[in-house]
Amino acid sequence: MSSRTEAPEDAYTAAPFVPGHAGLTALRRAAADCRGCPLHRDATQTVFGTGAAHARVMLVGEQPGDQEDRQGEPFVGPAGKLLDRALTEAGIDPADAYVTNAVKHFKFTQTEPGKRRIHRAPNLREMTACGPWLAKELELVAPELIVVLGATAGKALLGSSFRVTQVRGTVLEEEIHGRRERLVPTVHPSAVLRAEDREAAYRGLVADLEVAVRALG
Ligand code: URA
């Protein structure tokens, strides 16, 4: 158990847990002990970003799901499988990308132990608290382009007025955590899995990823 006490509710932040000078490996190790907000209490483990250390593309999702929480890796469940397929089809080798989430712990409800864990979206406080990890990942990986997967990632990176439907499939340029970044927002792969017309939603995701490929040149 960490000797650090948890911050009061109005001051959740991962900042004291983020080492100032560290590479990705040390950062991942430090994130395993993050107690910057209460989500660590129920989650199995921190799910940190993974992939090529100097990837040209960083993909940012919402938070780990049930499978990711158990396995400790982002996007290894059904949404991740769909994402890998869409990336490949658009011309991005998933192995060349760095994949992470806006929030590094799984947030869920469970009516009884042993019952299915139901995903709950992180709130603004939890997203903000987790921001220092994403800021450091951006600094270290220094990607040429960020693919923003869905509304939570968009709000975490671009602010609470972000609306994925308004900007998906476009190249944005914004100052984020002190760095000028290029971003292509798109829908979250889980939204494709839930869509009534799954094929059309999948085609839309691939088309947005193709915009990212063209922006990379
Ligand atoms: N959804 C996400 O946003 N991230 C994951 O890692 C898995 C599912």
Side-chain angles (χ1 to χ4, degrees), residues 107-125:
K107 181 176 177 180
F108 61 93
T109 45
Q110 191 175 35
T111 48
E112 281 172 48
K115 284 258 187 307
R116 199 161 82 86
R117 302 186 301 172
I118 314 288
H119 160 277
R120 283 173 63 206
N123 62 36
L124 192 59
R125 236 176 222 168

Side-chain angles (χ1 to χ4, degrees), residues 16 23 41 57 90 94 105 109-110 120 130 137 141 144 146-147 162 166 196 207 209 212:
R41 290 189 201 142
V57 188
H105 282 112
T109 45
Q110 191 175 35
R120 283 173 63 206
C130 220
E137 287 175 296
V141 178
E144 288 171 43
I146 303 168
V147 174
F162 175 85
Q166 289 171 5
E196 229 168 80
L209 294 172

Side-chain angles (χ1 to χ4, degrees), residues 6 11 15 21 27 37 39 54 62 64 75 80 82 91 102 112 115 117 125 149 154 156 159 161 165 175 189 211:
E6 204 166 84
H21 301 282
L27 201 64
C37 84
L39 294 186
H54 297 292
E62 181 193 79
F75 284 105
L82 182 133
E112 281 172 48
K115 284 258 187 307
R117 302 186 301 172
R125 236 176 222 168
L149 298 168
S161 62
T165 47
E175 176 104 2
V211 173

Side-chain angles (χ1 to χ4, degrees), residues 1-2 4-7 13 17 32-38 40 105:
M1 188 157 158
S2 167
R4 264 185 233 270
T5 52
E6 204 166 84
T13 177
F17 300 89
D33 292 327
C34 187
R35 306 285 181 265
C37 84
H40 70 88
H105 282 112

Side-chain angles (χ1 to χ4, degrees), residues 3-217:
S3 58
R4 264 185 233 270
T5 52
E6 204 166 84
E9 194 175 327
D10 59 352
Y12 292 160
T13 177
F17 300 89
V18 180
H21 301 282
L24 275 175
T25 306
L27 201 64
R28 186 172 295 114
R29 213 176 296 129
D33 292 327
C34 187
R35 306 285 181 265
C37 84
L39 294 186
H40 70 88
R41 290 189 201 142
D42 295 329
T44 308
Q45 58 193 316
T46 305
V47 178
F48 204 68
T50 184
H54 297 292
R56 295 183 71 200
V57 188
M58 182 184 284
L59 298 143
V60 182
E62 181 193 79
Q63 64 166 343
D66 178 77
Q67 286 300 314
E68 290 78 14
D69 172 75
R70 293 173 200 277
Q71 296 184 41
E73 296 278 322
F75 284 105
V76 289
K81 297 210 173 7
L82 182 133
L83 178 62
D84 280 359
R85 186 155 66 86
L87 284 168
T88 307
E89 201 169 324
I92 299 173
D93 184 342
D96 290 343
Y98 184 90
V99 186
T100 192
N101 284 302
V103 171
K104 308 298 196 246
H105 282 112
F106 180 36
K107 181 176 177 180
F108 61 93
T109 45
Q110 191 175 35
T111 48
E112 281 172 48
K115 284 258 187 307
R116 199 161 82 86
R117 302 186 301 172
I118 314 288
H119 160 277
R120 283 173 63 206
N123 62 36
L124 192 59
R125 236 176 222 168
E126 291 149 356
M127 284 185 233
T128 308
C130 220
W133 293 116
L134 188 55
K136 204 74 186 164
E137 287 175 296
L138 281 168
E139 179 193 318
L140 291 173
V141 178
E144 288 171 43
L145 193 78
I146 303 168
V147 174
V148 181
L149 298 168
T152 299
K155 287 181 200 303
L157 286 162
L158 296 159
S160 57
S161 62
F162 175 85
R163 297 285 175 275
V164 69
T165 47
Q166 289 171 5
V167 287
R168 64 176 294 183
T170 64
V171 184
L172 307 177
E173 254 197 73
E174 296 289 339
E175 176 104 2
I176 296 172
H177 298 301
R179 285 168 39 87
R180 196 88 200 146
E181 304 286 4
R182 286 197 310 154
L183 310 98
V184 173
T186 186
V187 292
H188 193 283
S190 299
V192 175
L193 291 172
R194 286 193 307 266
E196 229 168 80
D197 188 343
R198 206 192 270 199
E199 184 53 28
Y202 176 76
R203 286 284 132 227
L205 172 63
V206 172
D208 292 346
L209 294 172
E210 283 168 348
V211 173
V213 169
R214 284 197 292 278
L216 283 166

